[in-house]
Amino acid sequence: MRKIDREKRILTLMIKIYCRKKHCSQDLCEECRALLSYALNRLDHCRYGDKKGFCNHCPSPCYNQANQVKIREVMGFSGSRLIFYHPVMVIRHLLS
Ligand SMILES: [Zn+2]
């Protein structure tokens, strides 16, 4: 699997976890859906392509300010929880 596809999956998962816990929505609420499609779109246009690191370590973050704040919160919130839901994926992610 391409690195970017893997990152997309992780991102999707993180936003889902976040939304489920924070917004009590079964699927994604409108706000989170917008954030997700924004994030996926940014990934598609990432200048680093498959050589990229994880977004929160990026030397030239491409998110706009509002979404950057949101995605940070999502990652902070879901990052640790993801370990419980998908340990293998996270470990692979950390190793990559
Ligand atoms: Zn939500």
Side-chain angles (χ1 to χ4, degrees), residues 23-94:
H23 305 148
C24 299
S25 99
Q26 216 29 262
D27 198 17
L28 286 179
C29 69
E30 208 148 306
E31 190 190 338
C32 292
R33 205 173 307 149
L35 179 64
L36 178 63
S37 72
Y38 178 84
L40 293 181
N41 190 269
R42 298 282 66 191
L43 272 174
D44 276 334
H45 296 97
C46 178
R47 56 197 273 187
Y48 295 102
D50 271 357
K51 288 194 211 56
K52 79 188 289 298
F54 204 45
C55 287
N56 44 351
H57 302 137
C58 187
S60 51
C62 56
Y63 284 52
N64 68 26
Q65 184 111 45
N67 282 316
Q68 175 120 35
V69 171
K70 278 191 212 163
I71 206 77
R72 279 234 178 94
E73 202 190 321
V74 169
M75 286 183 177
F77 182 85
S78 299
S80 52
R81 284 166 182 81
L82 201 58
I83 305 248
F84 295 105
Y85 289 102
H86 299 276
V88 178
M89 213 155 111
V90 172
I91 288 161
R92 231 190 273 145
H93 180 64
L94 292 175

